Amino acid sequence: MEDEVFQQTMHIVNLLVTWTAATAIIFGGVVPYIPQYREIKRTQNAEGFSTYVCLVLLVANILRILFRFGRYFETPLLWQSIIMIVTMLVMLNLCTDVRVTAELNTKRRSFTASEIKDEEIKLPKKHFLDFDWGHFWSWSRFADYLQCVLAFTAVAAYVTYLLLDSDVFVESLGFLAVFTEAMLGTPQLYCNYQNKSTEGMSIKMVLMWTSGDTFKTGYFLLTEAPVQFWICGMLQVCVDVAILFQVYYYSRYPQKPVSHTVHTTSAKAL
């Protein structure tokens, strides 16, 4: 009798742990972007956040969803990808709005303008369908980002459909998905290096990246996920640690003056 009660108790505990871990996997990846979203919303300045982070995560999660058609993996990971795609689109929408607002608020003194009135200079719009690679992922409308994502999804899905019977392609697709995600922090790492500062980047976001990626890598190992998942998970943790080192280095050895006041009417463009 006692053995049956013990077994039932352990079964319930295992279920609770499993559901808790699954919930953390599904929603844990979104949490780091909440403080960054609030920071951009508050300051109306997205210069410190690289929108290429959104690009990396969109590509990685689209490829991961396609990979599941060729090789099954845990359902929570599928839901994680879907929710992450939605989250990155929300972040892109905010960053685009901030950039457009900054451009509209940017006024210059025109040579032909009157002495008492500034003339607003209308900056040229940059659209996805213009196919100007110099402006890639720096478009003026959120709709252009959406068109790009849909076009990439359609092409990737068609290629996957044609080559789904190839084991080499499926395994390569899985590796490409998780390797792309492992490069998540690289655009932010480069952005910090270019700015010689981590100002504008949410440190809470990076700390959550690090803790989340560590947990996720452990989850991959415990659930015996495909080898591509946990190898790239470890690589992701290393990039997170490198960004945290930048936070330490640029705070201890500042490379440029730190602005103490940010005005919403003079927010910088991305």
Side-chain angles (χ1 to χ4, degrees), residues 11-180:
H11 178 67
I12 294 174
V13 170
N14 287 334
L15 285 177
L16 288 175
V17 171
T18 301
W19 278 100
T20 301
T23 303
I25 283 293
I26 293 173
F27 297 102
V30 175
V31 174
Y33 299 96
I34 296 176
Q36 184 66 70
Y37 182 93
R38 294 178 62 185
E39 178 74 12
I40 295 173
K41 194 80 171 175
R42 180 181 65 84
T43 63
Q44 289 297 296
N45 186 351
E47 184 185 11
F49 175 72
S50 173
T51 54
Y52 282 95
V53 170
C54 301
L55 174 62
V56 168
L57 279 175
L58 285 168
V59 171
N61 285 282
I62 290 170
L63 293 179
R64 183 196 284 183
I65 292 173
L66 295 175
F67 174 58
R68 197 173 191 266
F69 287 97
R71 183 170 178 184
Y72 176 83
F73 55 78
E74 295 290 322
T75 301
L77 296 177
L78 174 63
W79 280 108
Q80 181 200 49
S81 294
I82 295 172
I83 292 175
M84 184 60 72
I85 289 172
V86 174
T87 303
M88 290 302 101
L89 292 177
V90 171
M91 289 293 295
L92 277 175
N93 188 31
L94 174 63
C95 292
T96 304
D97 288 344
V98 168
R99 179 173 66 245
V100 170
T101 301
E103 289 176 348
L104 292 177
N105 287 336
T106 301
K107 295 185 178 181
R108 301 285 193 273
R109 177 68 67 179
S110 173
F111 179 74
T112 59
S114 64
E115 294 182 358
I116 60 174
K117 183 179 180 181
D118 283 342
E119 180 180 286
E120 182 177 322
I121 295 179
K122 294 183 179 179
L123 299 177
K125 298 294 183 181
K126 296 166 282 188
H127 302 300
F128 167 62
L129 294 179
D130 292 338
F131 291 107
D132 185 349
W133 291 107
H135 293 148
F136 179 76
W137 212 250
S138 299
W139 301 306
S140 304
R141 303 180 307 166
F142 172 69
D144 295 303
Y145 292 97
L146 200 57
Q147 289 173 3
C148 180
V149 171
L150 291 175
F152 173 78
T153 303
V155 172
Y158 182 68
V159 173
T160 302
Y161 173 76
L162 293 178
L163 301 176
L164 196 58
D165 293 333
S166 171
D167 291 336
V168 174
F169 172 78
V170 171
E171 293 301 324
S172 299
L173 181 64
F175 177 78
L176 183 60
V178 291
F179 181 76
T180 304

